[in-house]
Amino acid sequence: CVPILYENRCLGVVAVNSYRQDCIFTPEDMMVIEVVAGQSAIAIENARVHAHLQQKNALLEKSISIHNTFYQLMIEGRGIDAILSLLTRMIGISVSYYSYLDVTADTHLFPIRRGVDTFGFLSLAQPFEQFSEMDKITIEQASLSIALELIKENALYEKEVYFREQVFNRLMEGLSGRELDAALEYVNWR
């Protein structure tokens, strides 16, 4: 018997039977068996690495597909409810969104963050660590999509506030006639 070794790990054993009457292996026989064991170790390790890379590639392809699905929702402007609905369908459990002020302590929460800022939480039926790797990726992508939706909503709100401020300032400066009517209509003050 000769061990199949790869980086000081035993992957198996090569057992060879001799059908000669003396049942003794020559040093040349042993050298051939050791070479076969060494090549077997390399082949086994290459097969393990190949299988691992195939799994990672499949995970990456699925991750890209998930990203594209959430991205399409955002491009279509379907909002947070559509993101939550899709997330619920994808992971098979109900998920809710809570703003930072609505947090309850009796649920498993996953933070929705941008840098150090927390925008809210996803309420999950189980701790995040108990989800499969694919479901974790899906939850993270949904969280990112919601964060981007909230940033977009905030930017639109700030733009409207700025515009309203400009209209008010123009009113104070004496805007009149059609310009005033158009501005008031735009900001829904009429």
Side-chain angles (χ1 to χ4, degrees), residues 94-110:
S94 181
V95 179
S96 302
Y97 164 73
Y98 292 99
S99 70
Y100 189 63
L101 301 175
D102 296 335
V103 174
T104 59
D106 61 339
T107 59
H108 303 285
L109 302 175
F110 184 83

Side-chain angles (χ1 to χ4, degrees), residues 40-54:
S40 298
I42 292 169
I44 291 169
E45 182 62 16
N46 284 347
R48 187 195 67 73
V49 168
H50 180 72
H52 178 74
L53 288 175
Q54 282 183 316

